[in-house]
Amino acid sequence: MTNHWSDIQNADLILIMGGNAAEAHPCGFKWVTEAKARNKARLIVVDPRFTRSASVADMYAPIRTGTDIAFLGGLINYLLENDKIQHEYVVNYTDVSFIVKEGFGFEDGLFNGYDAEKRSYPEKSTWSYELDEDGFARVDKSLTHPRCVYNLLKQHYSRYTPEVVSNICGTPQDRMLQIWETIAETSAPGKVMTIMYALGWTQHSVGSQMIRTGAMVQLLLGNIGMPGGGMNALRGHSNIQGLTDLGLLSNQLPGYMTLPLEAEQDYAAYIAKRTAKPLRPGQLSYWQHYEKFHVSLMKAWYGKNATAENNWGYDWLPKLDIPGYDVLKVFDMMYQGQVNGYFCQGFNPIASFPNKAKVSAALAKLKYLVVMDPLATETSEFWRNAGEYNDVDTASIQTTVFRLPTTCFAEEDGSLVNSGRWLQWHWKAAEPPGQAKTDVVIMGGLFHRLRELYSKEGGAYAEPLLNIDWAYRQPEEPTAEEIAQEYNGKALADVFDLQTGAQLAKAGELLPGFGLLRADGTTSSGCWIFCGSWTQAGNQMARRDNADPYGMGQTLGWAWAWPANRRILYNRASADPAGNPWDAQKKRLVWWDGGKWGGTDVPDFKVDSRPEDGMNPFIMNPEGVARLFAVDKMNEGPFPEHYEPFETPIGRNPLHPDNRQAISNPAARVFKNDMELFGSADEFPYAATTYRLTEHFHFWTKHCRLNAITQPEQFVEIGEVLAKELGIAAGERVKVSSNRGYIKAVAVVTKRIKPLTVDGKTVHQIGIPLHWGFAGVARNGYLTNTLTPFVGDANTQTPEFKSFLVNVEKA
Ligand SMILES: Nc1nc2c(c(=O)[nH]1)N[C@H]1C(S)=C(S)[C@@H](COP(=O)(O)OP(=O)(O)OC[C@H]3O[C@@H](n4cnc5c(=O)[nH]c(N)nc54)[C@H](O)[C@@H]3O)O[C@H]1N2
Ligand SMILES: Nc1nc2c(c(=O)[nH]1)N[C@H]1C(S)=C(S)[C@@H](COP(=O)(O)OP(=O)(O)OC[C@H]3O[C@@H](n4cnc5c(=O)[nH]c(N)nc54)[C@H](O)[C@@H]3O)O[C@H]1N2
Ligand SMILES: [Mo]
């Protein structure tokens, strides 16, 4: 979240689109209720299904799955056409005035530089701003230059008229226009909309671009950096935010730093590439500090072994030979027989990953599988024949499966990072049952045994392992406190102010913030954005002061938020260029008091930067402003474009009816065998989507009798019109099949899903909850992911769980 849960109470308008917070985030949803009570805030829900969130909304519109870029692109067009943008904000705080390089272009669904063979854009050099002699981006504040972002944006979305959008989304035009009109009202400087989204946006082959389109809308309306505004990703697992913060993705390092690529063997070049100089005069370009964060990380990992002479152990970092070993890639490699062993820690892929048949076949090719989990998961029993629910030939599977029972969060101390970036400490509440051990003990034990073997027997390139600094009091059992302090970071020598020479921290002290991190090896920090969470003053994550002096829910004394205990990111944008809040009455966040920045939140800014110096709020970008034009950061192009899901019910992209290359995301990676497994609408006519229910949590709660009682049996949702057409009555069993397999479940016939008219056809949508399987105490069911396609978003590789094609028959 750019903002955080309790800040939602400050919204004037709430758009829930691509999520169903009332169902999946019932506790956080109370802040929506609070906003309605406090501000008479209105709630809009756009979802293929009339959901529990929709049931308390002021306005609801149905949408065909996978078409949100069209809906939001149409909204962008509407805002520009009707002059409903927050002018001062947009001109000063976004790149609308920036001039794009000559050669950039878009034609018939493709940007310039497309390579159809590679299914990608290898040549993106023109996807950037034109630079002047001093290396600064050229701008035209009059917004008349034909290649300034404003005009390119206008041109790109001029195709997204209400007729065109309604024809793609199936959303009735009158309802769509009513929603656009309501949203447009928040272009007034003091009026704010927040967007709450989750998997209804992420789990598409164009998921990242859906989210970007939402962010672009928020920028045009001046809603980013504002209390009650922002782009709010409602995260899933209780600590999934912490997972990304700590860089637990194959191409990341902690704190959103990135692993080097194979071509980056040279340390200086690696750092130089990541420390972009300001692209406009007077801007901060905060990533210029990258080396300080990087060296401090290497000191945390390698201690005394990381030295200036060995480039702080740069050679010990893996260098990526491909963009990343994301989970789709790894399972495809496994499927190809290229993986011997797999550690499955807190992950149930046969249930949660697409195309169960492929995942199951992949697991069967392993020599060994280690499952670390408190529960006996389907994955740990993938070899077990469970009749119709897992019809495998056990005898033919040779994989050795090791189960290592772990604890769960309630059985250990530690911190969880919530969606709002708050690190909240929790305390152990119970002893673990049986032989369960914490993940730390298991992984630490494995590390010790491996290191012992390497030091005794040697082996290929053992240095990265042998050089690790493991200075915990009990090496076999590092405590949560020790690990948290390591993430925070310490002074390894006295730390001095670079300008005044004043001493800021003594050797051995915990650091108060990342401003003290140094690139000379005198500081350590395992995750720079967490620096400040455990200081000399103690564990900041354990703070529980809910005082709210400004009545805006910012509660700076409750837990600790990264970065720097700041609650709302980009909050400098809540004030105008002169430093006065856009709304001094109700939306006061930070302001210039004549000498420094201060206010009700920790300023996301250089606190002594005077407004007349012209530094802009988006300090992480070298240009200092937010990007409506994504330059070369997105794999499928700088402006989001509507592409159909890989399995499309209409078989063509209405925006580019004659270009087959532009039907679905042209830059999404598709593995060879999976292309053949996509189904088409003549065999599988219905658009399906999958989702969660409040009463279950993924595949865990079917191990719990009470949950099993509240949702006793697997079902699918079918609209009344289709059910009638197919002669299916409520409560009858149906067979739902895709080109990859089938499931059987009880039919819930509902008014909540209505047929939509799309591209001249009637499209029916089918809703499929995901919680059933063949392990646990609940009544068995089919794994929903038997149906889903093995393709992901072109940037994140998140699978397209939310739009695919099925057929439905009586079972
Ligand atoms: N009780 C409970 N709570 C949970 C979980 C759980 O299993 N149980 N899981 C947690 C996890 S890990 C996560 S990630 C979150 C997920 O939170 P959500 O994303 O809110 O949950 P979902 O139910 O997967 O999907 C949300 C909605 O997206 C809609 N949708 C599908 N396709 C589209 C589309 O193309 N456009 C739009 N606008 N909407 C679409 C679906 O109809 C559904 O209502 O929930 C978390 N909370
Ligand atoms: N079709 C479809 N598929 C989906 C989705 C969808 O919307 N539709 N949503 C996707 C999303 S958002 C998610 S997050 C995934 C979820 O996919 P998974 O993460 O694979 O599913 P979970 O059941 O949450 O599995 C997590 C496992 O972690 C275990 N666990 C809990 N605490 C601990 C611990 O402290 N240590 C260890 N080692 N294990 C622990 C639990 O017992 C559980 O078995 O599913 C994805 N799959
Ligand atoms: Mo999730």
Side-chain angles (χ1 to χ4, degrees):
M1 292 168 93
T2 54
N3 296 38
H4 58 96
W5 283 109
S6 54
D7 176 65
I8 290 170
Q9 67 186 289
N10 297 312
D12 300 302
L13 181 65
I14 297 156
L15 174 64
I16 296 184
M17 185 166 175
N20 180 11
E23 183 105 37
H25 302 88
C27 181
F29 191 78
K30 67 172 169 275
W31 297 109
V32 174
T33 312
E34 192 69 24
K36 290 178 116 197
R38 264 173 73 118
N39 303 338
K40 300 200 170 51
R42 280 172 299 171
L43 170 64
I44 301 175
V45 171
V46 182
D47 197 295
R49 307 175 304 126
F50 185 85
T51 60
R52 279 175 166 162
S53 304
S55 71
V56 290
D58 299 275
M59 290 179 196
Y60 162 76
I63 186 169
R64 173 170 65 101
T65 63
T67 65
D68 298 57
I69 291 175
F71 190 99
L72 297 165
L75 173 55
I76 291 177
N77 185 41
Y78 178 90
L79 298 176
L80 295 173
E81 287 289 312
N82 295 287
D83 196 23
K84 290 285 185 185
I85 64 176
Q86 215 276 52
H87 283 267
E88 220 184 327
Y89 184 107
V90 171
V91 171
N92 290 294
Y93 299 163
T94 79
D95 63 353
V96 273
S97 62
F98 286 52
I99 295 168
V100 170
K101 270 191 185 156
E102 209 157 346
F104 166 75
F106 177 79
E107 215 185 308
D108 203 18
L110 297 169
F111 292 89
N112 64 304
Y114 187 61
D115 183 332
E117 197 86 337
K118 294 192 174 126
R119 290 191 51 81
S120 71
Y121 291 93
E123 210 335 84
K124 298 184 192 162
S125 61
T126 54
W127 299 6
S128 64
Y129 308 127
E130 203 171 272
L131 302 183
D132 66 15
E133 310 71 47
D134 303 317
F136 290 128
R138 275 188 214 280
V139 300
D140 170 23
K141 291 272 182 193
S142 73
L143 307 186
T144 52
H145 193 288
R147 275 184 289 109
C148 78
V149 168
Y150 180 74
N151 288 315
L152 294 177
L153 182 77
K154 222 172 156 169
Q155 193 188 338
H156 188 85
Y157 292 105
S158 62
R159 296 169 294 130
Y160 289 64
T161 60
E163 297 73 33
V164 166
V165 172
S166 169
N167 179 53
I168 293 173
C169 302
T171 310
Q173 249 194 75
D174 52 343
R175 253 198 254 184
M176 194 173 77
L177 282 166
Q178 215 183 358
I179 287 175
W180 288 356
E181 215 175 284
T182 308
I183 290 176
E185 287 169 22
T186 67
S187 60
K191 284 270 171 260
V192 181
M193 169 176 76
T194 186
I195 296 185
M196 297 166 67
Y197 73 93
L199 303 181
W201 276 359
T202 34
Q203 294 177 335
H204 294 279
S205 48
V206 288
S208 308
Q209 292 282 25
M210 283 185 184
I211 297 159
R212 249 199 82 70
T213 325
M216 289 162 72
V217 166
Q218 286 295 60
L219 286 169
L220 292 171
L221 296 167
N223 287 340
I224 298 279
M226 292 291 286
M231 279 300 286
N232 294 308
L234 313 182
R235 306 299 312 252
H237 285 111
S238 73
N239 198 27
I240 198 69
Q241 180 65 47
L243 179 142
T244 31
D245 297 343
L246 290 173
L248 296 180
L249 294 168
S250 68
N251 57 351
Q252 298 265 310
L253 289 170
Y256 302 94
M257 293 193 285
T258 47
L259 261 188
L261 304 176
E262 194 176 26
E264 296 181 302
Q265 298 294 331
D266 181 53
Y267 173 65
Y270 165 80
I271 293 293
K273 175 123 193 269
R274 286 155 181 79
T275 40
K277 295 252 148 22
L279 258 185
R280 290 287 302 156
Q283 302 310 310
L284 195 55
S285 190
Y286 201 76
W287 281 114
Q288 284 188 101
H289 298 292
Y290 192 96
E291 191 172 18
K292 298 175 184 169
F293 313 146
H294 178 82
V295 173
S296 298
L297 171 68
M298 297 306 276
K299 291 301 287 183
W301 283 359
Y302 289 108
K304 290 196 171 63
N305 295 325
T307 63
E309 290 68 44
N310 65 19
N311 290 324
W312 317 105
Y314 184 66
D315 287 350
W316 306 330
L317 283 181
K319 310 289 184 296
L320 281 171
D321 55 341
I322 53 171
Y325 287 89
D326 57 88
V327 194
L328 284 171
K329 173 74 189 171
V330 168
F331 272 91
D332 190 67
M333 289 174 68
M334 208 186 281
Y335 184 71
Q336 308 295 341
Q338 295 164 13
V339 180
N340 284 327
Y342 190 65
F343 264 77
C344 206
Q345 183 184 10
F347 182 28
N348 190 1
I350 197 178
S352 63
F353 233 56
N355 191 358
K356 182 215 168 202
K358 180 170 179 174
V359 172
S360 178
L363 292 170
K365 288 186 180 150
L366 291 171
K367 290 206 175 88
Y368 67 92
L369 168 69
V370 182
V371 179
M372 294 170 60
D373 205 291
L375 300 170
T377 62
E378 277 82 1
T379 298
S380 72
E381 296 182 1
F382 80 95
W383 45 268
R384 179 168 69 85
N385 187 301
E388 58 179 318
Y389 304 112
N390 193 42
D391 194 7
V392 290
D393 174 21
T394 302
S396 69
I397 297 172
Q398 299 301 312
T399 312
T400 305
V401 179
F402 299 91
R403 274 183 185 164
L404 306 180
T406 66
T407 53
C408 72
F409 69 94
E411 294 155 357
E412 61 205 24
D413 293 344
S415 69
L416 299 165
V417 190
N418 75 3
S419 301
R421 295 167 286 99
W422 296 7
L423 284 73
Q424 303 192 85
W425 197 260
H426 66 86
W427 292 267
K428 177 173 171 170
E431 288 304 321
Q435 300 173 4
K437 291 199 164 39
T438 66
D439 292 83
V440 173
V441 167
I442 296 173
M443 277 299 177
L446 185 70
F447 164 75
H448 281 296
R449 279 162 193 73
L450 280 173
R451 178 142 84 172
E452 235 170 82
L453 280 174
Y454 269 110
S455 53
K456 270 197 213 129
E457 300 174 10
Y461 206 46
E463 285 90 338
L465 210 63
L466 297 180
N467 287 326
I468 283 183
D469 184 42
W470 197 271
Y472 304 107
R473 280 186 293 275
Q474 283 183 308
E476 292 289 339
E477 201 158 343
T479 62
E481 288 78 1
E482 286 173 301
I483 296 171
Q485 292 182 4
E486 180 176 334
Y487 284 134
N488 180 81
K490 289 176 189 155
L492 304 175
D494 295 347
V495 179
F496 299 96
D497 188 300
L498 296 174
Q499 260 110 52
T500 64
Q503 193 176 49
L504 300 174
K506 287 209 256 329
E509 284 183 356
L510 289 157
L511 295 171
F514 48 74
L516 269 68
L517 296 178
R518 298 287 180 260
D520 60 4
T522 57
T523 58
S524 71
S525 172
C527 182
W528 73 275
I529 55 176
F530 288 178
C531 192
S533 60
W534 197 316
T535 65
Q536 286 299 108
N539 183 353
Q540 303 301 298
M541 302 171 276
R543 295 182 309 156
R544 291 293 182 271
D545 176 2
N546 65 357
D548 181 14
Y550 299 92
M552 290 175 67
Q554 305 306 342
T555 59
L556 298 180
W558 183 279
W560 186 88
W562 73 259
N565 201 27
R566 181 171 295 131
R567 304 291 157 140
I568 297 183
L569 298 179
Y570 317 114
N571 59 27
R572 163 67 181 91
S574 68
D576 66 15
N580 304 311
W582 297 109
D583 176 352
Q585 299 301 309
K586 283 165 76 184
K587 302 277 174 353
R588 252 158 52 106
L589 205 52
V590 300
W591 55 87
W592 177 248
D593 70 4
K596 63 175 180 1
W597 286 88
T600 65
D601 191 9
V602 179
D604 192 354
F605 209 54
K606 200 163 173 274
V607 285
D608 56 353
S609 171
R610 294 173 309 162
E612 53 271 34
D613 296 339
M615 187 182 283
N616 280 315
F618 293 86
I619 55 173
M620 301 310 283
N621 283 346
E623 56 272 54
V625 295
R627 293 178 190 138
L628 292 161
F629 183 81
V631 295
D632 60 357
K633 300 294 177 209
M634 304 294 284
N635 287 333
E636 61 282 84
F639 290 131
E641 173 71 358
H642 166 74
Y643 298 110
E644 288 286 311
F646 270 80
E647 292 192 334
T648 157
I650 54 174
R652 62 177 200 161
N653 184 343
L655 288 172
H656 316 286
D658 303 320
N659 187 358
R660 296 202 58 79
Q661 283 179 358
I663 298 178
S664 301
N665 190 335
R669 178 196 61 197
V670 185
F671 299 107
K672 212 165 119 248
N673 312 45
D674 298 307
M675 196 62 109
E676 300 144 24
L677 290 178
F678 294 138
S680 63
D682 34 312
E683 249 183 296
F684 303 99
Y686 311 121
T689 193
T690 58
Y691 50 87
R692 324 167 134 62
L693 306 169
T694 305
E695 296 79 1
H696 274 299
F697 196 89
H698 298 168
F699 316 101
W700 323 13
T701 49
K702 51 188 173 50
H703 293 263
C704 179
R705 235 171 267 282
L706 279 177
N707 299 73
I709 291 167
T710 56
Q711 283 288 4
E713 186 165 15
Q714 185 168 30
F715 64 87
V716 298
E717 291 187 278
I718 301 172
E720 275 179 354
V721 178
L722 178 62
K724 198 163 171 215
E725 238 174 64
L726 299 175
I728 293 167
E732 272 187 304
R733 277 181 80 74
V734 289
K735 178 177 175 185
V736 180
S737 31
S738 79
N739 206 26
R740 292 156 294 274
Y742 66 85
I743 68 168
K744 289 179 187 168
V746 167
V748 166
V749 176
T750 177
K751 291 187 201 313
R752 289 176 282 109
I753 305 180
K754 293 259 166 27
L756 302 175
T757 306
V758 177
D759 204 20
K761 292 194 205 170
T762 300
V763 172
H764 294 283
Q765 307 199 83
I766 310 291
I768 313 175
L770 57 74
H771 302 293
W772 280 269
F774 57 88
V777 298
R779 193 177 298 173
N780 281 346
Y782 286 81
L783 290 172
T784 293
N785 279 318
T786 307
L787 300 171
T788 47
F790 205 85
V791 64
D793 171 76
N795 299 280
T796 62
Q797 310 302 345
T798 300
E800 188 151 64
F801 290 122
K802 289 282 187 268
S803 319
F804 54 97
L805 294 179
V806 296
N807 191 21
V808 179
E809 320 152 78
K810 273 197 198 193

